[in-house]
Amino acid sequence: MSQHLRLHLDLQWFAGEKTEPATPKKRQEARKKGQVAKSMDLPAASILLFSFVAFLMFGSFMKGRIVHIFRNVYENQLRMDLTIGNIQVLFTDLTVQGLIILAPIFLLVVLIAFIANYAQIGFMFIGEPLMMKFDKINPISGFKRIFSMRTFVDFLKSTLKMLIIGYAVYTTLMGQKARLLGLGHTPLENTFSFVASVTLGLGVKIGAILIVLAIFDYIYQKYEHEKSLKMSKQDVKDEYKKSEGDPLIKGKIRAKQRQMAMQRMMQEVPKADVIITNPTHFAVALKYDASNMQAPTVIAKGADYVALKIKEVAKQNGVMTMENKPLARAIFAQVEIGDAIPADLFQAVAEVLAYVYKMKGKTN
């Protein structure tokens, strides 16, 4: 008995284990909540790398503009009268020149930030993550987040990045050790050029390293996201029931629809002129009104139990029943309820109706 109970509990545990990939519906719901696979390091690393690349690309342009600003100030602006109007003109000119210098960097940074985010999650604008959630200021929840596995992984990533970047800086500076020691005997302009080239080289190298690490971080975030979205077999079944409807309820609805359709059909049986039977398996109710119909019409039909009910209703309402096996089978198979009798069955049906009218005294 205990072994059976233990097996039952084990099966229950496995039924709740999240082993199934997320359905499209759950992915869509998670996306609406802002739950997507995204590495925050990738945009930052991309911005860092391409910022230094931009400095390399536009360095001569920026240097020329800066030299122009200083030359203009020393040659022209220092000689001007100190009036409010002159100061405003000088301030406006320096602001415009500064924006021109920074414009390529700014535009490139905005473009790279957009591309880095779009490549990860596409276009997404949602407001739910911005809503106030009191559990975020709950001390207990905050304590759990601080000492969670995710926090530990983030700490390891940060430590790894610092070690790799530190090693890259160390090797770069040690490679330039001789020139660094000789800067004291180098002209100031050459010193600035050397320091700028080393700084830009380090920036590009560190940016490239961070992008590689960010790609691995994105892969990890993708894995964690897929893991968090996994569903149990019961979850999949429950979602299917919610989206498609409970099969039991749908079955009851269909049964109710069939019952209502049969009731409507049985209400038409008393209006029939004749019921043609198999005699036990099929029953077909025919009606013909010369003023409204071009041919006799099937107003009810059924097999087995339904055929029996049709005959009972016909008997209760005095509708004549005639046995004609071939005709009953042919009409049941070829004609739907509400349709007229096809031409190939006209002769046989006409003979039946003529006999019925004769029995009822409807013929002259």
Side-chain angles (χ1 to χ4, degrees), residues 188-223:
L188 187 60
E189 183 178 354
N190 294 340
T191 300
F192 280 138
S193 298
F194 173 73
V195 172
S197 64
V198 171
T199 303
L200 291 177
L202 266 176
V204 172
K205 185 181 294 184
I206 292 172
I209 292 172
L210 290 178
I211 281 187
V212 173
L213 294 177
I215 291 174
F216 282 105
D217 179 60
Y218 174 73
I219 295 173
Y220 171 75
Q221 297 295 339
K222 187 79 172 177
Y223 166 77

Side-chain angles (χ1 to χ4, degrees), residues 107-283:
L107 293 176
L108 185 63
V109 165
V110 172
L111 179 62
I112 293 301
F114 175 79
I115 293 175
N117 282 280
Y118 185 83
Q120 294 186 84
I121 61 175
F123 182 78
M124 184 175 69
F125 181 79
I126 51 177
E128 185 167 339
L130 302 177
M131 297 176 63
M132 182 64 179
K133 294 183 179 180
F134 292 100
D135 60 338
K136 291 185 178 180
I137 59 176
N138 187 340
I140 298 177
S141 300
F143 183 81
K144 290 180 179 179
R145 286 195 296 268
I146 292 174
F147 294 96
S148 64
M149 180 59 67
R150 179 178 290 273
T151 305
F152 178 70
V153 172
D154 290 339
F155 172 75
L156 289 181
K157 289 191 299 182
S158 300
T159 304
L160 179 63
K161 283 191 290 186
M162 293 302 298
L163 290 175
I164 294 176
I165 291 173
Y167 178 76
V169 173
Y170 174 78
T171 55
T172 300
L173 295 180
M174 289 304 293
Q176 301 291 336
K177 180 179 179 181
R179 295 190 62 181
L180 286 171
L181 294 175
L183 289 179
H185 307 286
T186 305
L188 187 60
E189 183 178 354
N190 294 340
T191 300
F192 280 138
S193 298
F194 173 73
V195 172
S197 64
V198 171
T199 303
L200 291 177
L202 266 176
V204 172
K205 185 181 294 184
I206 292 172
I209 292 172
L210 290 178
I211 281 187
V212 173
L213 294 177
I215 291 174
F216 282 105
D217 179 60
Y218 174 73
I219 295 173
Y220 171 75
Q221 297 295 339
K222 187 79 172 177
Y223 166 77
E224 283 292 316
H225 180 66
E226 292 295 327
K227 183 179 178 181
S228 67
L229 290 180
K230 280 192 173 181
M231 307 169 67
S232 65
K233 295 183 183 297
Q234 187 61 41
D235 292 337
V236 176
K237 291 180 181 178
D238 292 341
E239 182 182 293
Y240 176 79
K241 288 180 180 179
K242 290 180 181 179
S243 60
E244 299 295 332
D246 192 329
L248 294 176
I249 296 177
K250 291 176 70 176
K252 291 180 180 179
I253 292 174
R254 287 194 294 266
K256 185 66 175 179
Q257 290 174 341
R258 288 194 297 268
Q259 182 181 0
M260 294 175 63
M262 181 177 293
Q263 289 177 351
R264 289 194 299 269
M265 185 178 69
M266 291 303 174
Q267 291 173 358
E268 296 295 318
V269 171
K271 304 175 184 178
D273 292 318
V274 64
I275 308 297
I276 303 176
T277 65
N278 190 35
T280 56
H281 296 298
F282 301 109

